[in-house]
Amino acid sequence: MTLHACDIAWEAGGQPIVRGVTLRVPEGRLLGLVGPNGSGKSSLLRLLAGLRRGSDGAVLLDHRPMSAVPRREVARRLAFVEQQVSTEVVLTAREVVALGRTPHRGAWEAWSEADHAAVSAALARTGMADRADQLWSTLSGGERQRIQIARALAQEPRELLLDEPTNHLDIRHQLDLLKLLQSLDTSCIAALHDLNHAVAFCDEIAVVKDGTLVIQGRPADVMTVDLIRSVFEVAATVREDPENGRVRLDFLPD
Amino acid sequence: MTVHVQAEVRPRSFRRLGLPAFGLIALAALFLAAAGAISIGEVAIPPAEILKVLGNRLFGMDLAVDPIREGIVWHYRLSRAAMAASAGAALAICGTVLQALLRNPLAEPYLLGISAGASTGAVLVMVLGIGAGTVTLPGGAFLGAGLAFAFVAFLAHGSGGGTERVILAGIAGSQLFNAATSFIVTTSANAEQTRGIMFWLLGSLGGARWADTALALPVLAVGLAVCLFRARALDAFAFGEDAAASIGIDVSRVRTELFAVTALLTAAIISLVGAVGFVGLVVPHATRFLVGPAHGRLLPASALAGGVFMVAADVLSRIVVPGQVLPIGVVTALFGAPAFAFILWRSRRGA
Ligand SMILES: Nc1ncnc2c1ncn2[C@@H]1O[C@H](COP(=O)(O)OP(=O)(O)O)[C@@H](O)[C@H]1O
Ligand SMILES: [Mg+2]
């Protein structure tokens, strides 16, 4: 267990947004973070990435409080893909991915073979190698998303946090991305909207509502009709596939 | 059967000038501009004589030159060109850094009110005559610049942050500090001082001597070195502060450090040549267009281009109106304001 939130809390604008969440990210696995809009998924991910300082509790990285670890050291092992980013800087896709090498390079250190290899591998894994020299500003929303994921992979992280990474992606690239996250040795935590994707690809699911963690566990154990009704306020049926033990959800109109 | 739609391939043949190529061109331009700056003036001095002066001064030769002309070339015109080049370089570095840190294409010391703050500090020292020396004037300018920075940061943050707010806060800061300067001048300065201050406020290289350059150059060198050391961090700000932090940048530390350096550079330049606007805005954009956005290249290239721009502006200020020298700030604004409009127009269309 390398990344661990201990009773973490955060407030903004005088409102408690995250209230005492304790969460462990299973090593080398894919953890899906699900919950209704505004339940605090993005806030929780930013806390886990160390981008916000919690008002209570702690985020531990290898049992060290993240706030005590220098930023650069964090970034060499933990990468974060924000929900949406923008820039006015005229950069090519490859230059954006190369930003992921920043924590691995000293101020005067030249571009190394290892940097080049990491960038090329990240571009290839996200299927963006042939777009590498295109300007970021001319990429589609889905392509930008994949370039940001490539940037995160170029950091060669041991923990990878992604905020709704399947947004903007067409169905094939959604499935490709989830398969990629599943196949990585990296511990991944991804906020996801599609519950069927979450149960199909994630090793574990964490459900948040109103800034609290409702439950964390194996998809088949977590995703029950009762939970879906109480958290997402919809009626659903849950079927288990006898072949692979995976569950499938069907949502019913009222 | 699957139909393969050939995706429209848009290969960007994206040519950027390498730093060596740019450096050569810029150095040649600097040389040309400096040659103009040295030979043009009330007393026309032929190139051969200039070369002799340089030979005597730089290489210890003993060539026969008219001592008055030698004085004009060495003590007035060359020191003035060196001061112009240092000021242009410093202001261009400030603009480059501020545009990256604030993620705003319009950021530069003048528009953010830093120059106004530095002016207030310097004028206060001048009028009150505190110490009245080469140390207290830049000191006052630095305090004023720091105060203006704090004011703008506080106002921008308090109004909800965001990159547009910074410019609005800067406008408020400019107004406030310009008013403060006017207040000090009208209430405390005598007629003689007022005239001097007004001229100085618009930017003047008239008083530039080697002693001033000797103050500007070390500040410029240190400033450029610190910014170059942080070049990768500046690159990392492309997608904002959270993105920078998540690729390992200690955002608040880098920001504080570089804001301090910008305030220092601005203050040093303002205390020496007055408030020259728009160099910090125009030069970084033009340079970025040529060498690309990577700060390892952009910073030295901007510094060079800023030097060329200011020396050329100084030459213009001396020849546009015969027999009269325009304030340098007037010349840079005549070029800068249209460029400002162009950048505004372009960023609006892109949004
Ligand atoms: N900086 C902030 N100031 C005030 N409220 C915020 C801030 N950030 C998030 N919130 C609020 O916190 C709640 C959770 O937001 P978020 O973490 O983005 O949820 P999710 O990603 O699950 O949709 C929302 O109600 C949002 O409005
Ligand atoms: Mg969100």
Side-chain angles (χ1 to χ4, degrees), chain A residues 155-228:
Chain A
Q155 281 174 256
E156 299 183 318
R158 280 170 60 194
E159 290 89 13
L160 175 57
L161 317 183
L162 308 100
D163 198 352
E164 301 193 17
T166 50
N167 264 8
H168 299 296
L169 298 188
D170 60 48
I171 183 66
R172 202 198 98 200
H173 286 110
Q174 289 187 26
L175 299 179
D176 280 356
L177 173 66
L178 290 165
K179 265 185 257 168
L180 171 66
L181 297 183
Q182 213 178 26
S183 71
L184 294 173
D185 291 332
T186 309
S187 313
C188 297
I189 166 164
L192 296 171
H193 260 309
D194 189 317
L195 297 183
N196 270 313
H197 283 169
V199 294
F201 288 94
C202 296
D203 300 298
E204 284 190 22
I205 287 183
V207 183
V208 285
K209 186 182 188 188
D210 294 334
T212 57
L213 182 73
V214 179
I215 188 170
Q216 176 179 358
R218 285 178 50 241
D221 300 337
V222 167
M223 279 298 165
T224 61
V225 171
D226 287 343
L227 178 118
I228 293 169

Side-chain angles (χ1 to χ4, degrees), chain A residues 10 12-13 17 35-44 46 83 163-164:
Chain A
W10 183 68
I17 309 286
N37 288 340
S39 55
K41 302 182 293 295
S42 299
S43 307
L44 184 55
R46 274 190 219 110
Q83 194 165 348
D163 198 352
E164 301 193 17

Side-chain angles (χ1 to χ4, degrees), chain A residues 46 51-52 71-72 75 78-80 82 85-92 95-96 99-100 102-103 105-110 131 133-136 138 148 151 155, chain B residues 7-12 14 16 103 105 225 228-230 232-233 235-251 288 292-294 346-347:
Chain A
R46 274 190 219 110
L51 297 177
R52 299 286 178 276
R71 245 354 287 177
R72 183 159 169 226
L78 182 148
F80 179 48
E82 290 174 82
V85 291
S86 67
T87 186
E88 291 215 19
V89 184
V90 181
L91 294 166
T92 65
E95 287 168 336
V96 175
L99 285 176
T102 307
R105 304 169 68 201
W108 311 112
E109 217 170 300
R131 294 308 187 94
D133 296 319
Q134 195 174 325
L135 286 183
W136 158 270
T138 64
Q148 284 301 328
R151 185 269 303 154
Q155 281 174 256
Chain B
E8 192 199 340
V9 184
R10 282 158 293 180
R12 293 290 307 200
F14 209 60
R16 283 169 183 160
R103 297 219 302 152
L228 275 176
F229 179 70
R230 293 297 190 191
R232 300 244 165 92
D235 292 342
F237 275 84
F239 288 93
E241 294 182 358
D242 273 355
S246 70
I247 50 177
I249 306 301
D250 187 340
V251 170
R288 200 178 285 116
R346 250 184 45 144
S347 65

